[in-house]
């Protein structure tokens, strides 16, 4: 069981930016695809994006494409979700998760963090 820990959530005004961080151990960092999902109250968990290895191996959901970016820092074993031009519709709890394949399907992700809350005010 791999441990993932998210951080960086908070309250931001519409149009603002936040960067979320996901900490994971080195073995998992080098082995797995790391994805971001989000879940708003009363809604299903939604795929945001995933990354494996280099930046070329990234997939971003259409709903956030052009505003959100996933990156990795191999020196720190961290995966980041940079979120720009946030809207109230981006308000959700954001989770990072690890999977052996690059996938947008939550069932492929066996290890999940507890999430970090992002609230965007209008």
């Amino acid at each position: 069981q791999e441990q993932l820990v998210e951080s960086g959530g908070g309250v931001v005004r519409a149009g603002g930016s936040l960067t979320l961080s996901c900490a994971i151990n080195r073995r998992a960092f080098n082995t797995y695809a790391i994805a971001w999902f989000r879940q708003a109250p009363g809604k299903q968990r939604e795929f945001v994006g995933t990354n494996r290895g280099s930046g070329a191996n990234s997939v971003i959901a259409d709903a956030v494409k052009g505003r959100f970016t996933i990156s990795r820092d191999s020196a720190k074993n961290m995966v980041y979700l940079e979120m720009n031009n946030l809207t109230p519709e981006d308000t959700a709890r954001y989770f990072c998760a690890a999977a052996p394949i690059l996938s947008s399907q939550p069932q492929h992700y066996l290890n999940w963090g507890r999430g970090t809350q992002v609230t965007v005010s209008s």
Side-chain angles (χ1 to χ4, degrees):
Q1 188 81 4
E2 309 293 350
Q3 184 178 17
L4 298 95
V5 180
E6 304 93 337
S7 61
V11 180
V12 63
R13 289 189 175 185
S17 299
L18 275 177
T19 297
L20 306 182
S21 301
C22 176
I24 188 170
N25 66 63
R26 173 158 290 278
R27 189 193 71 81
F29 179 89
N30 290 331
T31 302
Y32 294 114
I34 306 297
W36 288 94
F37 290 82
R38 65 185 182 184
Q39 189 165 19
K43 294 188 176 181
Q44 288 189 334
R45 193 161 291 191
E46 177 187 16
F47 170 75
V48 175
T50 186
N51 170 275
R52 184 172 189 172
S54 69
N57 292 323
S58 289
V59 177
I60 301 293
D62 289 343
V64 301
K65 194 171 291 183
R67 299 189 298 123
F68 290 14
T69 304
I70 293 179
S71 63
R72 289 183 171 227
D73 186 334
S74 59
K76 298 180 179 179
N77 299 333
M78 298 284 279
V79 179
Y80 302 103
L81 178 67
E82 181 181 349
M83 306 183 294
N84 298 306
N85 195 21
L86 287 160
T87 73
E89 289 68 36
D90 295 314
T91 294
R93 191 163 186 86
Y94 285 71
F95 301 85
C96 63
I101 60 173
L102 206 66
S103 172
S104 63
Q105 302 303 310
Q107 62 266 28
H108 291 151
Y109 289 83
L110 304 180
N111 299 282
W112 293 79
R114 294 185 176 183
T116 185
Q117 179 67 34
V118 172
T119 302
V120 184
S121 62
S122 57

